[in-house]
Amino acid sequence: MTPEEDRDGFFGPDSVTWRIHADPSFSVGGIRALLLQALHPVAMAGVHRFSDGFRDEPWARLTRTAEYVATLTFGTRKEALRAVRRVRGAHRGKSDTEETTGRAYSVDDPDLLLWVHACEVDSLLSVARRAGVPLTDEDADRYVREQVVAAELVGCTPGQVPATVVELAAYFRRVRPQLALTEPARHAARFVVVPPMPGWVQLLTPARPAWAGLASLGVATLPRWARSMYGLPGLALSEPATTAAVRAFRATTLAVPSRIRDNPTLRAARVRVA
């Protein structure tokens, strides 16, 4: 690994990955991804069974997840590989049986890791495009292809990860018959939409209404079939309103100075590669 390769990380400032992950739409896409991931009974069972932080310290868990994605995206290669080792170590040796399907699984089964990856990539890309991030069809394919690296680093089987938008859509068509709204999925959705907050935070800060607005966008941007599984309206008439709302959120957030808006890892990366 050359110093230049280490400095630029696995993607680099000219990648579509940087463009999408540095955009304000990323936060909406992240919520959409969580809600989509919860619909896989086995993947969700692993989260429910082994991620105590999801139940007891949900904000800490979300923060750790966001920091992992930021480090993998904007960190040096050495920083990214350290983060990957921590995640793979946390997954290792955790096995159980999912009660509704009867499937024995390990948290690091490649097909479960692939589901989580595909939901993240599809969500971040689709929300970015709806929010008005300038992305051509070629850019979209390039993003999906770039993210194959992230999937294989965390343990997905090489050659099995979708590398184009068409392949990603085909993957979801194959997996949809396996999806279901289990009780752990309902619990996760409730947490995402109405997360627990300390009383002083709710009373003295705008965190509750701010999060409610963000969560509503994440829900609204789900595919219609996913909203239907959650028992939510899936009417095509709501799509233009959702797109307008996501674009307004992005425009409002972009008006905030970047020194306040940007993730610290992103700010450090911009200084490093300048």
Side-chain angles (χ1 to χ4, degrees):
M1 182 192 310
T2 67
E4 291 76 15
E5 287 175 333
D6 183 46
R7 179 198 65 197
D8 287 352
F10 281 100
F11 303 103
D14 296 327
S15 66
V16 183
T17 293
W18 270 47
R19 202 187 317 170
I20 291 176
H21 292 194
D23 192 83
S25 63
F26 178 90
S27 55
V28 177
I31 292 173
R32 180 191 190 271
L34 290 173
L35 292 166
L36 204 54
Q37 289 163 0
L39 292 173
H40 193 298
V42 185
M44 190 62 236
V47 173
H48 187 74
R49 170 69 176 80
F50 295 106
S51 293
D52 292 337
F54 196 90
R55 298 186 296 273
D56 304 327
E57 297 178 344
W59 291 110
R61 186 181 189 279
L62 286 181
T63 299
R64 289 194 298 270
T65 301
E67 288 175 350
Y68 170 75
V69 175
T71 302
L72 190 61
T73 303
F74 305 116
T76 65
R77 291 201 177 196
K78 290 178 182 177
E79 291 168 344
L81 289 172
R82 281 197 297 269
V84 168
R85 284 194 293 269
R86 284 195 297 271
V87 169
R88 297 191 73 162
H91 289 168
R92 195 172 297 120
K94 293 180 176 177
S95 303
D96 201 0
T97 299
E98 199 282 313
E99 60 182 24
T100 65
T101 62
R103 171 180 162 177
Y105 69 90
S106 294
V107 171
D108 56 1
D109 283 346
D111 69 308
L112 303 182
L113 297 174
L114 180 56
W115 168 253
V116 172
H117 167 81
C119 290
E120 180 181 307
V121 171
D122 181 74
S123 295
L124 297 177
L125 176 60
S126 64
V127 171
R129 299 189 87 173
R130 290 185 75 166
V133 178
L135 296 166
T136 64
D137 290 344
E138 182 179 311
D139 290 333
D141 276 337
R142 184 179 161 198
Y143 174 66
V144 177
R145 187 165 58 251
E146 288 173 357
Q147 287 299 300
V148 172
V149 173
E152 293 182 355
L153 281 172
V154 83
C156 293
T157 305
Q160 298 297 311
V161 184
T164 67
V165 171
V166 170
E167 289 179 7
L168 187 60
Y171 167 81
F172 277 102
R173 286 195 296 272
R174 290 196 304 273
V175 176
R176 275 181 61 183
Q178 304 173 34
L179 306 182
L181 183 65
T182 59
E183 187 53 39
R186 290 189 181 92
H187 174 82
R190 284 194 296 270
F191 159 74
V192 170
V193 176
V194 189
M197 291 182 181
W200 70 268
V201 172
Q202 298 190 57
L203 293 173
L204 301 178
T205 76
R208 175 65 76 191
W211 182 266
L214 199 61
S216 67
L217 289 176
V219 171
T221 53
L222 282 168
R224 272 182 275 173
W225 59 263
R227 295 204 302 273
S228 178
M229 289 183 69
Y230 277 114
L232 301 168
L235 299 176
L237 293 174
S238 64
E239 298 297 332
T242 296
T243 299
V246 174
R247 290 190 173 221
F249 166 79
R250 178 174 185 260
T252 300
T253 308
L254 284 174
V256 177
S258 60
R259 67 181 183 277
I260 299 172
R261 179 184 73 238
D262 289 344
N263 179 290
T265 307
L266 170 58
R267 291 200 299 271
R270 284 177 169 156
V271 171
R272 188 180 69 243
V273 303

